Amino acid sequence: MKKIASLLLGFASASQPLGAQANGAASANSDHWMLYERVASDGKPLVVIARTGNAEVQSLLLHGRATVVICRTDPSNVNEHGMPQGTDRLYSIEDKLDEEAARLAAGAIRVASVTGQGQRRMFFVHRAPLDLSPALRSAPVPGFSCDASEVDDRQALLHLVTPTPLEIQLNGDQEVLAGLQKSGDDGHVPRKTDFWFYGRRGPLNSLTATLDHHGFSVDHWLNDPPGVVLSRKMPVDLAVFQALTPVIVNAAERSGVDYDGWETLVVSPTQPDGRKDQ
């Protein structure tokens, strides 16, 4: 999780045919961390790393207690995007809090880290009372001032740590694109890419008409369960999906159908059709 956050916070041979799919549905039994961006009240970006797919976390978010640890840095140590510099120095306090006896005794679970506006906030949910102040005083972090308090606005916390359908899908897109790159495919070569949708025929017809204006065509219809596969010839790099995924997700929501991700072949510049050498 730390490595992913650090990368984002910086801002600024033929291959074998292989299917790659991005599924926008979050698994109800999959406890994992998801990274996405939000915009703060001052218009600056917030980088959110939130825990998803954990039933206990969801229950505590709704019915338990919540504590936030805020580590602030000096304004001179903040870049033009509002991001504090030297956040790697916070790893030690994050590790300490994860092992802290008071946290373990309270059954507290870290649910999110949010960086931006010159600070990093770490959120914990728990049932028993929790006081992390002694742990913070015993482990000062150079360049940061850290304190803990109870979360005042529970609805704001829920909004912040709950990814939207668009954020979930974009996160899935990035995971698949990273897999393609590991296979030697930078995604720049245009190729046939299939997009999967499920729902009733009428709403699916409405969807296909909407996405026809964006270069999609019907590849084939599905019967069990009912759905449609739309195809588009396109590169599959991050910039393309950052522009295209909001169009797809919004069209699916307006049409009342489920978007179930995309699939393509791994290709290389020397074999743009994705065929394996014989």
Side-chain angles (χ1 to χ4, degrees):
M1 182 181 70
K2 296 171 183 174
K3 291 182 180 178
I4 294 174
S6 296
L7 288 172
L8 186 54
L9 293 177
F11 272 95
S13 123
S15 60
Q16 181 175 355
L18 176 68
Q21 189 169 15
N23 191 321
S27 170
N29 301 312
S30 175
D31 184 322
H32 69 287
W33 292 89
M34 181 176 296
L35 187 150
Y36 52 92
E37 291 185 39
R38 291 286 174 87
V39 177
S41 57
D42 60 3
K44 297 292 180 62
L46 295 175
V47 175
V48 181
I49 307 175
R51 194 175 211 133
T52 64
N54 185 307
E56 177 67 8
V57 165
Q58 293 304 310
S59 176
L60 288 171
L61 277 169
L62 292 173
H63 308 295
R65 302 168 181 255
T67 294
V68 59
V69 172
I70 305 178
C71 293
R72 302 175 179 85
T73 192
D74 187 88
S76 63
N77 195 39
V78 179
N79 71 14
E80 61 181 318
H81 302 287
M83 293 294 159
Q85 303 302 286
T87 53
D88 56 324
R89 295 197 293 271
L90 294 172
Y91 295 167
S92 60
I93 194 64
E94 290 177 342
D95 291 340
K96 180 176 178 59
L97 292 177
D98 284 342
E99 299 172 359
E100 174 62 28
R103 184 197 70 78
L104 297 173
I109 305 173
R110 181 146 59 111
V111 296
S113 291
V114 181
T115 305
Q117 296 181 301
Q119 62 189 10
R120 173 169 291 173
R121 290 176 285 164
M122 291 162 271
F123 294 93
F124 298 81
V125 290
H126 45 98
R127 296 194 186 281
L130 175 64
D131 183 7
L132 294 174
S133 297
L136 295 174
R137 287 194 296 269
S138 69
V141 180
F144 288 85
S145 174
C146 300
D147 59 70
S149 62
E150 186 176 354
V151 173
D152 293 326
D153 192 334
R154 183 60 60 91
Q155 288 303 313
L157 173 60
L158 282 167
H159 173 73
L160 186 61
V161 304
T162 304
T164 65
L166 176 58
E167 289 164 343
I168 292 170
Q169 185 58 50
L170 284 170
N171 185 267
D173 294 340
Q174 292 180 54
E175 290 179 356
V176 174
L177 294 175
L180 290 175
Q181 290 181 341
K182 287 181 180 179
S183 300
D185 182 357
D186 63 12
H188 293 160
V189 176
R191 83 288 304 273
K192 178 178 179 288
T193 304
D194 296 331
F195 298 79
W196 300 70
F197 302 89
Y198 294 94
R200 294 180 293 109
R201 188 60 178 259
L204 288 170
N205 283 332
S206 174
L207 174 80
T208 59
T210 298
L211 292 183
D212 176 71
H213 299 291
H214 297 277
F216 291 81
S217 60
V218 175
D219 186 83
H220 62 278
W221 291 91
L222 304 168
N223 294 319
D224 188 20
V228 66
V229 177
L230 302 182
S231 294
R232 190 176 190 265
K233 186 172 182 180
M234 54 183 276
V236 288
D237 58 24
L238 182 57
V240 169
F241 279 98
Q242 285 177 329
L244 188 62
T245 294
V247 173
I248 297 171
V249 171
N250 289 337
E253 289 181 345
R254 289 197 305 270
S255 300
V257 305
D258 295 324
Y259 173 40
D260 197 36
W262 54 273
E263 186 176 69
T264 194
L265 291 177
V266 176
V267 302
S268 73
T270 57
Q271 291 282 350
D273 59 1
R275 292 176 297 179
K276 181 181 178 181
D277 279 345
Q278 300 297 322

